[in-house]
Amino acid sequence: MNTTTPTSAQRTWDELNARQRLYLSTIFEFDQAAETDIKRRSAKRMSVPPAAEWRQVTYDIDLPKKAAGYSSVQLAVRQRGEHDPGSGATLAALRRRKLITVTYDQVHVPPIGMVDRTRVRLTTAGRAAARHGAGHTAPATPPAGLMTRWSLLALARLYAAGEHGLCNETTPDRADEAPSWNTLLRLRDRRDGSLIDTFVADWPDQHRRMLRQHRVRASALGRRHFEIHRACYLELFGDLADELPDADPAEGAHTGLADHRRPRPKHLVRDTDLRVLLALAELQDTGRCYLREELTRDFQHWDDEVPGWVTEIPDGLTRWQVKNLTRTEKSIDRLTAHPGGPLITQVEVYASAHNWQAGITTPMVVLTDTGRTHLRDHLADYHRANPELPFPPER
């Protein structure tokens, strides 16, 4: 059960007394400041610690306050009219409600040595309650297929940079610096294909000398994603209007998030199942099969004649390839049991060039004639529902 919905967060906040709200809100402010700093460092390609560490907020160091002063959290609480007596009970109450975790450890303070330290960290429920108390709306959750705010900003910069892209190396020109590598990996490793292209080009440095430079730009798929969904992102993240460049008109471009809420027509298969059908159709059109090609290379490597059973392996995908494509094997069962007839079938083939005589086989997923007919008859409907996916040409 999700305990961080707005209703749950509001109920939790309402149950707190004024002192507990003050402490939770103050911790939240330092949590958000740390998050902002981490994002800034990540954008500059600086190393960052794991969230379990940087979200820890130092509440107290066990030293005389007249000598060492108060922690930032304690000072903020005092400036708002609350003082330390009873703070232990307040933290304990927040911890019992599972709004914070409290860690007791030691830290070295020269020249004194090791002293006791108390650190606090907001839980997900605690952050939601504090966000509600501050009047902030919860971070918008993008519909399936859309990106997070951080990834969107990175793609928008690459889109605006055009074919020349941005520098994927350390550069003094901040305007030409690409997003962090971690962010680029999220754009690269999308299920439907990479939204970026990396390339090497001659580029002038600050002294106008031409140097070979690694650069990155939005791929054709990335540009199409931005053009199709720009209106959706503006609705989702309205405060980013000034940071999203204008997009070229695109066929099938969405007008807003309502396009993501339209029910799928009953005669169309799920998006994940469609990806399998499209991949199988492309393999048939190009006469490709990964397993067949691997087995052929294995036999040729040992200067052995390629057996006939290898060349007879049909164009298709192994089950693990389907799972990599859809993150589940359930698509195979659904497509096999399609009401209009099986859209795919499975064929047992030998799995190894070395011990095939032992009879070890693996199932190969293949598009049926019914599956190809289904794609052909409903191609226009699928294209309207999924304008980003690579569709085969109509025949």
Side-chain angles (χ1 to χ4, degrees):
M1 179 179 178
N2 185 359
T3 61
T4 63
T5 61
T7 301
S8 177
Q10 180 178 359
R11 184 170 60 250
T12 300
W13 179 259
D14 291 344
E15 292 172 352
L16 300 178
N17 62 36
R19 183 182 178 91
Q20 292 165 352
R21 290 179 181 179
L22 173 61
Y23 274 66
L24 189 66
S25 297
T26 303
I27 296 169
F28 175 70
E29 290 177 6
F30 284 91
D31 172 90
Q32 294 300 286
E35 182 175 299
T36 300
D37 181 63
I38 286 295
K39 289 181 176 179
R40 178 187 60 79
R41 293 168 60 183
S42 178
K44 293 182 177 180
R45 305 180 181 225
M46 300 168 64
S47 61
V48 297
E53 175 61 28
W54 62 258
R55 285 199 184 277
Q56 293 277 7
V57 178
T58 297
Y59 177 76
D60 182 44
I61 295 179
D62 190 12
L63 287 172
K65 304 309 176 191
K66 290 184 178 180
Y70 293 91
S71 71
S72 298
V73 176
Q74 289 173 321
L75 186 60
V77 168
R78 289 176 66 85
Q79 290 173 341
R80 294 168 185 177
E82 287 287 349
H83 300 285
D84 280 346
S87 63
T90 303
L91 295 181
L94 295 175
R95 181 169 58 177
R96 282 195 303 272
R97 292 175 178 274
K98 298 183 179 180
L99 302 180
I100 65 170
T101 61
V102 183
T103 303
Y104 301 98
D105 59 9
Q106 290 190 320
V107 63
H108 184 264
V109 178
I112 299 172
M114 301 300 292
V115 297
D116 293 336
R117 176 177 64 174
T118 302
R119 295 193 294 173
V120 294
R121 179 163 64 92
L122 289 174
T123 63
T124 302
R127 190 171 297 107
R131 185 178 289 114
H132 171 79
H136 299 166
T137 58
T141 301
L146 297 187
M147 298 182 293
T148 62
R149 179 190 190 95
W150 201 246
S151 297
L152 167 63
L153 287 173
L155 181 62
R157 286 191 61 215
L158 293 170
Y159 183 91
E163 287 300 307
H164 295 301
L166 298 172
C167 177
N168 201 20
E169 302 175 359
T170 302
T171 174
D173 185 356
R174 300 302 303 276
D176 190 45
E177 185 177 33
S180 70
W181 182 239
N182 286 339
T183 301
L184 292 178
L185 287 179
R186 288 193 287 272
L187 296 179
R188 186 195 70 181
D189 298 336
R190 299 268 296 181
R191 179 170 59 182
D192 294 325
S194 176
L195 302 186
I196 62 172
D197 288 332
T198 55
F199 61 103
V200 178
D202 291 327
W203 202 259
D205 64 7
Q206 65 260 38
H207 304 295
R208 299 189 178 280
R209 295 173 301 187
M210 300 301 291
L211 300 175
R212 299 291 283 174
Q213 190 178 84
H214 289 85
R215 301 185 67 81
V216 58
R217 61 192 168 206
S219 66
L221 183 61
R223 297 188 67 81
R224 181 158 178 77
H225 177 94
F226 185 82
E227 291 162 1
I228 289 174
H229 298 295
R230 184 179 184 276
C232 304
Y233 284 122
L234 283 175
E235 184 177 339
L236 195 62
F237 307 115
D239 59 313
L240 298 183
D242 293 337
E243 301 188 53
L244 300 187
D246 292 335
D248 295 331
E251 181 183 357
H254 288 180
T255 58
L257 293 176
D259 290 329
H260 287 266
R261 303 188 186 105
R262 291 176 181 169
R264 183 181 70 254
K266 293 183 178 180
H267 62 281
L268 302 185
V269 301
R270 301 185 186 191
D271 293 352
T272 50
D273 300 350
L274 175 61
R275 290 181 174 88
V276 178
L277 294 181
L278 291 175
L280 291 174
E282 181 181 5
L283 290 174
Q284 283 193 357
D285 290 341
T286 57
R288 300 289 304 277
C289 174
Y290 170 80
L291 180 60
R292 185 178 65 227
E293 294 168 1
E294 285 295 302
L295 291 173
T296 299
R297 278 191 287 267
D298 286 344
F299 280 107
Q300 292 175 342
H301 176 76
W302 298 105
D303 294 328
D304 290 337
E305 182 180 352
V306 179
W309 62 264
V310 173
T311 59
E312 293 172 1
I313 294 177
D315 305 325
L317 299 167
T318 61
R319 288 185 70 95
W320 66 263
Q321 286 179 303
V322 172
K323 188 172 183 179
N324 282 345
L325 182 64
T326 64
R327 301 173 187 173
T328 177
E329 292 185 349
K330 293 182 180 179
S331 291
I332 297 175
D333 298 331
R334 289 193 294 262
L335 292 172
T336 301
H338 189 267
L343 305 183
I344 62 170
T345 188
Q346 296 185 70
V347 179
E348 292 292 329
V349 300
Y350 292 124
S352 172
H354 304 293
N355 56 0
W356 65 273
Q357 293 172 326
I360 300 175
T361 63
T362 188
M364 178 70 60
V365 179
V366 180
L367 186 67
T368 63
D369 290 339
T370 302
R372 180 165 282 280
T373 300
H374 174 89
L375 266 183
R376 182 195 63 211
D377 292 347
H378 303 301
L379 195 62
D381 293 336
Y382 278 125
H383 197 279
R384 280 192 294 271
N386 304 269
E388 280 184 83
L389 294 182
F391 287 87
E394 297 190 45
R395 298 182 182 279

